[in-house]
Amino acid sequence: MIRNLIVAAFVIGGFGFILFQIFQFFFSVGGSRTRIEKDKKELKLLSGALVDELVPINEDELALLSSKLESQRVTKGMYYTEKGVLNSIYEEPMLTYGYRNYGSGKSVLVANTHESQFEFVERGDGVEMKVNGYLHGVITGAGTLVGVDGERIANIVDDPRSDYQAITIRERKVAELLNPESQDITNNSRAFLELKPLDEVEQNILLGVMIYNSLIKA
Protein backbone atom coordinates (compact mmCIF):
# COMPACT_ATOMS: atom_id res chain seq x y z
CA MET A 1 0.00 0.00 0.00
CA ILE A 2 2.75 2.43 1.01
CA ARG A 3 4.72 1.45 -2.07
CA ASN A 4 1.72 2.20 -4.28
CA LEU A 5 1.30 5.59 -2.62
CA ILE A 6 4.97 6.42 -3.24
CA VAL A 7 4.71 5.40 -6.89
CA ALA A 8 1.52 7.44 -7.26
CA ALA A 9 3.21 10.46 -5.67
CA PHE A 10 6.10 10.21 -8.11
CA VAL A 11 3.70 9.93 -11.06
CA ILE A 12 1.65 12.93 -9.91
CA GLY A 13 4.79 14.91 -9.18
CA GLY A 14 6.26 14.10 -12.58
CA PHE A 15 3.02 14.99 -14.33
CA GLY A 16 2.82 18.25 -12.40
CA PHE A 17 6.41 19.11 -13.35
CA ILE A 18 5.64 18.51 -17.02
CA LEU A 19 2.56 20.74 -16.83
CA PHE A 20 4.64 23.43 -15.13
CA GLN A 21 7.26 23.27 -17.88
CA ILE A 22 4.59 23.51 -20.57
CA PHE A 23 2.96 26.45 -18.81
CA GLN A 24 6.29 28.21 -18.40
CA PHE A 25 7.22 27.63 -22.02
CA PHE A 26 4.00 28.97 -23.50
CA PHE A 27 3.19 31.75 -21.08
CA SER A 28 6.52 32.91 -19.66
CA VAL A 29 9.15 32.26 -22.31
CA GLY A 30 7.32 33.66 -25.32
CA GLY A 31 7.89 37.42 -25.29
CA SER A 32 9.61 37.49 -21.89
CA ARG A 33 12.56 39.86 -21.47
CA THR A 34 15.01 36.95 -21.30
CA ARG A 35 13.61 35.40 -24.46
CA ILE A 36 13.58 38.74 -26.31
CA GLU A 37 17.21 39.49 -25.48
CA LYS A 38 18.17 36.01 -26.70
CA ASP A 39 16.13 36.39 -29.88
CA LYS A 40 17.57 39.84 -30.58
CA LYS A 41 20.97 38.23 -31.13
CA GLU A 42 19.49 35.83 -33.67
CA LEU A 43 17.56 38.59 -35.43
CA LYS A 44 20.66 40.78 -35.58
CA LEU A 45 22.43 38.00 -37.47
CA LEU A 46 19.38 37.54 -39.67
CA SER A 47 19.04 41.23 -40.53
CA GLY A 48 22.77 41.95 -40.67
CA ALA A 49 23.66 39.45 -43.38
CA LEU A 50 23.45 42.03 -46.20
CA VAL A 51 24.61 45.17 -44.36
CA ASP A 52 27.79 45.52 -46.43
CA GLU A 53 25.68 45.50 -49.60
CA LEU A 54 23.21 48.18 -48.45
CA VAL A 55 23.22 51.57 -50.12
CA PRO A 56 24.35 54.29 -47.68
CA ILE A 57 21.35 56.50 -46.91
CA ASN A 58 21.60 60.25 -47.28
CA GLU A 59 18.85 62.77 -47.95
CA ASP A 60 18.77 62.03 -51.68
CA GLU A 61 18.73 58.25 -51.23
CA LEU A 62 16.02 58.44 -48.57
CA ALA A 63 13.75 60.14 -51.10
CA LEU A 64 14.21 57.08 -53.36
CA LEU A 65 13.12 54.49 -50.77
CA SER A 66 10.48 52.21 -52.28
CA SER A 67 7.26 51.21 -50.54
CA LYS A 68 7.49 47.70 -51.96
CA LEU A 69 8.52 45.10 -49.38
CA GLU A 70 10.38 41.87 -50.14
CA SER A 71 9.92 39.41 -47.29
CA GLN A 72 9.92 35.72 -46.51
CA ARG A 73 8.95 33.61 -43.56
CA VAL A 74 11.76 31.84 -41.72
CA THR A 75 10.49 28.45 -40.57
CA LYS A 76 12.50 28.03 -37.39
CA GLY A 77 11.05 27.60 -33.92
CA MET A 78 7.44 27.81 -32.81
CA TYR A 79 7.05 31.58 -33.30
CA TYR A 80 6.37 33.50 -36.50
CA THR A 81 9.70 34.76 -37.84
CA GLU A 82 10.21 36.88 -40.95
CA LYS A 83 13.11 38.50 -42.73
CA GLY A 84 13.02 41.04 -45.51
CA VAL A 85 14.52 43.97 -47.37
CA LEU A 86 13.40 47.40 -48.50
CA ASN A 87 14.94 48.63 -51.73
CA SER A 88 15.14 51.91 -53.57
CA ILE A 89 12.85 52.43 -56.56
CA TYR A 90 15.89 51.32 -58.59
CA GLU A 91 15.99 47.93 -56.79
CA GLU A 92 19.04 48.80 -54.66
CA PRO A 93 18.89 47.30 -51.12
CA MET A 94 18.59 50.03 -48.47
CA LEU A 95 17.25 48.34 -45.32
CA THR A 96 17.08 44.77 -44.03
CA TYR A 97 15.16 43.41 -41.05
CA GLY A 98 14.40 40.35 -38.95
CA TYR A 99 11.07 40.10 -37.12
CA ARG A 100 9.67 37.65 -34.57
CA ASN A 101 6.05 37.71 -33.40
CA TYR A 102 5.13 35.83 -30.22
CA GLY A 103 1.41 36.62 -30.40
CA SER A 104 -0.67 38.40 -27.73
CA GLY A 105 0.75 41.79 -28.71
CA LYS A 106 4.41 40.84 -28.19
CA SER A 107 7.10 40.98 -30.86
CA VAL A 108 10.68 42.03 -31.52
CA LEU A 109 12.18 43.50 -34.69
CA VAL A 110 15.76 44.38 -35.61
CA ALA A 111 16.47 46.42 -38.75
CA ASN A 112 19.68 47.65 -40.34
CA THR A 113 20.65 50.39 -42.72
CA HIS A 114 24.26 50.77 -43.85
CA GLU A 115 24.80 53.28 -41.03
CA SER A 116 22.40 52.39 -38.21
CA GLN A 117 20.69 49.58 -36.33
CA PHE A 118 17.11 49.81 -35.08
CA GLU A 119 15.55 47.69 -32.34
CA PHE A 120 11.84 47.49 -31.55
CA VAL A 121 10.25 45.59 -28.67
CA GLU A 122 6.46 45.40 -28.69
CA ARG A 123 4.48 44.80 -25.54
CA GLY A 124 0.86 45.51 -24.75
CA ASP A 125 1.49 49.13 -23.72
CA GLY A 126 3.50 50.21 -26.77
CA VAL A 127 6.63 49.61 -28.86
CA GLU A 128 10.02 50.54 -27.43
CA MET A 129 12.37 51.99 -30.07
CA LYS A 130 16.17 52.06 -29.89
CA VAL A 131 18.58 53.37 -32.52
CA ASN A 132 22.22 52.33 -32.26
CA GLY A 133 21.56 51.22 -28.68
CA TYR A 134 20.04 54.57 -27.65
CA LEU A 135 16.46 54.47 -26.34
CA HIS A 136 14.43 57.14 -28.14
CA GLY A 137 11.15 56.27 -26.42
CA VAL A 138 7.93 54.32 -26.89
CA ILE A 139 5.59 54.40 -29.88
CA THR A 140 1.98 54.30 -28.76
CA GLY A 141 -0.90 52.59 -30.53
CA ALA A 142 -1.90 56.01 -31.89
CA GLY A 143 1.43 56.27 -33.74
CA THR A 144 3.09 58.80 -31.41
CA LEU A 145 6.74 58.44 -30.39
CA VAL A 146 6.91 59.56 -26.76
CA GLY A 147 10.36 60.25 -25.33
CA VAL A 148 11.75 58.95 -22.05
CA ASP A 149 10.77 62.23 -20.35
CA GLY A 150 7.22 62.10 -21.68
CA GLU A 151 7.71 64.59 -24.51
CA ARG A 152 6.14 63.97 -27.93
CA ILE A 153 8.96 63.46 -30.43
CA ALA A 154 7.17 62.29 -33.57
CA ASN A 155 3.70 61.48 -34.77
CA ILE A 156 1.95 59.71 -37.64
CA VAL A 157 -1.20 61.55 -38.72
CA ASP A 158 -3.77 59.48 -40.60
CA ASP A 159 -5.89 61.06 -43.32
CA PRO A 160 -8.80 58.84 -44.44
CA ARG A 161 -9.09 60.91 -47.63
CA SER A 162 -5.51 60.18 -48.71
CA ASP A 163 -3.23 57.20 -49.35
CA TYR A 164 -0.51 59.07 -47.45
CA GLN A 165 0.05 59.77 -43.76
CA ALA A 166 1.76 62.93 -42.54
CA ILE A 167 4.79 62.44 -40.28
CA THR A 168 5.78 65.19 -37.88
CA ILE A 169 8.98 65.43 -35.83
CA ARG A 170 8.87 67.88 -32.92
CA GLU A 171 5.67 69.42 -34.35
CA ARG A 172 7.24 69.98 -37.80
CA LYS A 173 5.83 68.10 -40.78
CA VAL A 174 8.81 66.38 -42.39
CA ALA A 175 7.27 63.94 -44.88
CA GLU A 176 4.24 62.05 -46.09
CA LEU A 177 4.42 58.26 -45.88
CA LEU A 178 2.49 55.91 -48.14
CA ASN A 179 -0.11 54.12 -46.01
CA PRO A 180 0.84 50.39 -45.68
CA GLU A 181 -2.82 49.56 -46.33
CA SER A 182 -2.84 51.41 -49.66
CA GLN A 183 -3.19 49.40 -52.86
CA ASP A 184 -0.08 51.15 -54.19
CA ILE A 185 2.09 49.66 -51.43
CA THR A 186 2.74 46.56 -53.57
CA ASN A 187 3.95 48.72 -56.46
CA ASN A 188 7.43 50.16 -56.78
CA SER A 189 6.30 53.58 -55.55
CA ARG A 190 8.23 56.07 -53.44
CA ALA A 191 7.58 55.52 -49.73
CA PHE A 192 7.94 59.24 -48.93
CA LEU A 193 6.51 62.39 -50.50
CA GLU A 194 7.29 66.00 -49.61
CA LEU A 195 10.44 64.98 -47.77
CA LYS A 196 11.94 67.95 -45.92
CA PRO A 197 15.66 68.46 -45.12
CA LEU A 198 16.63 66.39 -42.06
CA ASP A 199 19.66 66.08 -39.82
CA GLU A 200 21.04 62.62 -38.95
CA VAL A 201 18.98 62.25 -35.76
CA GLU A 202 15.75 63.31 -37.50
CA GLN A 203 16.49 60.95 -40.38
CA ASN A 204 16.80 58.02 -37.97
CA ILE A 205 13.58 59.01 -36.20
CA LEU A 206 11.77 59.17 -39.54
CA LEU A 207 13.10 55.75 -40.55
CA GLY A 208 12.18 54.34 -37.14
CA VAL A 209 8.61 55.57 -37.36
CA MET A 210 8.36 54.25 -40.92
CA ILE A 211 9.67 50.81 -39.88
CA TYR A 212 7.16 50.64 -37.03
CA ASN A 213 4.26 51.73 -39.23
CA SER A 214 5.07 49.42 -42.14
CA LEU A 215 6.41 46.31 -40.43
CA ILE A 216 4.91 46.16 -36.94
CA LYS A 217 1.66 48.14 -36.90
CA ALA A 218 0.63 46.88 -40.36
Side-chain angles (χ1 to χ4, degrees), residues 202-215:
E202 292 173 328
Q203 181 176 290
N204 278 335
I205 291 173
L206 178 64
L207 278 171
V209 170
M210 182 277 295
I211 293 167
Y212 157 79
N213 199 56
S214 302
L215 302 179

Side-chain angles (χ1 to χ4, degrees), residues 66-140:
S66 173
S67 62
K68 187 177 180 180
L69 174 67
E70 295 181 10
S71 63
Q72 67 181 90
R73 183 166 182 168
V74 180
T75 54
K76 182 179 180 181
M78 63 172 293
Y79 304 111
Y80 177 85
T81 306
E82 179 181 293
K83 67 176 181 179
V85 60
L86 285 170
N87 298 316
S88 73
I89 58 173
Y90 301 117
E91 303 295 335
E92 301 168 311
M94 297 179 69
L95 183 149
T96 61
Y97 74 91
Y99 173 66
R100 179 158 294 162
N101 191 314
Y102 306 101
S104 302
K106 296 180 181 180
S107 69
V108 59
L109 186 146
V110 177
N112 286 281
T113 64
H114 187 272
E115 301 82 7
S116 300
Q117 184 171 88
F118 300 78
E119 297 178 21
F120 300 84
V121 176
E122 178 188 15
R123 295 189 178 90
D125 54 350
V127 179
E128 183 183 273
M129 184 179 96
K130 289 183 179 180
V131 183
N132 297 325
Y134 172 76
L135 176 63
H136 277 270
V138 174
I139 305 176
T140 69

